[in-house]
Amino acid sequence: MSTQGGIKAIIAALLANIGIAVTKFVAYLLTSSSSMLAESIHSVADAGNQALLLLGGKRARRAATPQHPFGYGRERYVYAFIVSIVLFSLGGLFALYEAWHKWSDPHGISNWQWVPVTVLLAAIVMESFSFRTAIKESNLVRGRESWTRFIRRSKAPELPVVLLEDFGALVGLVFALFGVGMTLATGNGRWDAAGTAMIGVLLVTIAVVLAVETKSLLLGEGAEPADVSAIEQAVTAGPEVERIIHMKTLYLGPEELMVAAKIAVSRCESAEEVARGIDAVEKRIRAAVPVARVIYLEPDIYQVTAGSSSMAGHAGS
């Protein structure tokens, strides 16, 4: 669900940004507005970012190899991190440089004065449709989570990236409209520079948020507490396991969770009985948490150490 929804949102954003970038560039060439140039580069960066997300999704679907035995699921995180770098440099830093340049050499908009306002209003409409698609697809997987928690906790990077990009694009368009409108009203080009600087600060902020969140995914995140609890209940729900000695989880990709656990089994069971029990536990885990596709269970004997309470102990070697 999240993969298909992410692709739909990416394609909607890609098509919108290509059309918006072309119209903004035309408006910049006619008016020499720094806000229009910053927004043009912003839309080009966004379109490139969406292409990177599509490429990352395609490469992540490659089959596992001996060199990469757990597959390439994390490539989606790598390309999402590259998106944050592109947004920071090509979008944010360029806008800040253009704002400084325009502030140093301010000039009003004397030609085609109606063009930038018309283009910006049209861009807001097109960007709103893209943002609406991202919200709609995100709601299918977000559940009752707040938007902040969804962006911070989502294991699939595409929807949070598109959401933040579209949100930033809409706010950036409002900033550009403010700068252009004030420049047209006052004839002072420094309002245009101020709008451009606001766009730059916004893009840098969004890029930093994306980089921080994607870095956490690249380092490797475990399952959410609710999923950990569901896995623990699935392991101990039957008679096969006396207790969980210790357990760790790790996302190998947005939709593939690895579960590794040492479990205590009865010392009187045969190897055949232990093997059948492990198979039954694995089935329960996958039923409880479907993304738990890679499961390693190590059977052991749980021994209570001398002088410890009945609830403490250690695994046999």
Side-chain angles (χ1 to χ4, degrees):
M1 178 71 75
S2 60
T3 301
Q4 295 302 319
I7 292 175
K8 185 176 180 179
I10 292 170
I11 292 176
L14 176 61
L15 295 176
N17 279 306
I18 290 174
I20 292 170
V22 172
T23 56
K24 288 177 182 175
F25 265 123
V26 172
Y28 163 70
L29 293 174
L30 293 175
T31 63
S32 299
S33 166
S34 65
S35 292
M36 295 307 304
L37 178 59
E39 275 297 304
S40 301
I41 299 300
H42 178 192
S43 293
V44 170
D46 280 354
N49 286 342
Q50 277 111 43
L52 284 172
L53 291 176
L54 289 173
L55 177 61
K58 180 179 180 180
R59 291 181 61 83
R61 291 191 292 271
R62 289 180 295 168
T65 64
Q67 188 175 7
H68 298 279
F70 291 109
Y72 293 84
R74 286 195 183 181
E75 286 232 35
R76 289 165 68 180
Y77 301 151
V78 173
Y79 280 86
F81 189 78
I82 295 174
V83 163
S84 69
I85 297 174
V86 173
L87 192 62
F88 180 85
S89 56
L90 188 59
L93 294 186
F94 178 84
L96 291 174
Y97 166 77
E98 184 60 24
W100 172 80
H101 182 268
K102 184 63 177 284
W103 188 271
S104 303
D105 181 25
H107 54 271
I109 301 174
S110 56
N111 298 321
W112 302 89
Q113 294 182 340
W114 59 272
V115 170
V117 175
T118 303
V119 167
L120 289 172
L121 291 175
I124 288 174
V125 172
M126 287 187 283
E127 199 67 62
S128 295
F129 280 109
S130 174
F131 192 38
R132 178 178 175 273
T133 300
I135 291 174
K136 181 180 178 181
E137 297 302 324
S138 297
N139 281 333
L140 296 176
V141 296
R142 182 171 64 95
R144 296 184 177 180
E145 288 185 327
S146 67
W147 285 108
T148 300
R149 183 173 176 81
F150 172 71
I151 291 172
R152 295 195 61 186
R153 298 298 183 183
S154 177
K155 307 304 179 185
E158 292 84 2
L159 284 173
V161 168
V162 174
L163 276 169
L164 286 175
E165 281 192 345
D166 285 352
F167 173 77
L170 278 172
V171 176
L173 288 168
V174 173
F175 289 164
L177 190 60
F178 167 78
V180 168
M182 291 300 294
T183 297
L184 290 173
T186 64
N188 187 348
R190 284 187 170 173
W191 284 109
D192 195 15
T196 306
M198 293 163 67
I199 294 169
V201 171
L202 172 70
L203 296 183
V204 167
T205 302
I206 291 176
V208 169
V209 171
L210 284 176
V212 170
E213 297 304 325
T214 310
K215 173 193 169 187
S216 178
L217 292 169
L218 279 171
L219 290 175
E221 291 187 355
E224 292 297 304
D227 286 340
V228 171
S229 178
I231 292 171
E232 290 175 343
Q233 291 177 16
V235 172
T236 57
E240 304 88 0
V241 177
E242 293 182 350
R243 68 169 66 207
I244 298 172
I245 299 172
H246 60 75
M247 183 180 76
K248 294 182 179 180
T249 61
L250 179 68
Y251 270 93
L252 302 175
E255 287 141 5
E256 187 173 39
L257 179 68
M258 181 176 70
V259 178
K262 178 173 281 193
I263 55 176
V265 298
S266 173
R267 63 176 62 246
C268 61
E269 288 184 347
S270 67
E272 183 179 355
E273 290 172 330
V274 170
R276 283 201 302 265
I278 288 176
D279 289 341
V281 172
E282 289 179 349
K283 289 180 181 178
R284 291 201 300 267
I285 292 174
R286 292 191 173 98
V289 182
V291 294
R293 299 177 182 177
V294 180
I295 302 174
Y296 296 107
L297 299 178
E298 178 185 353
D300 210 332
I301 304 300
Y302 189 82
Q303 298 174 342
V304 177
T305 59
S308 64
S309 66
S310 60
M311 294 301 294
H314 69 276
S317 59

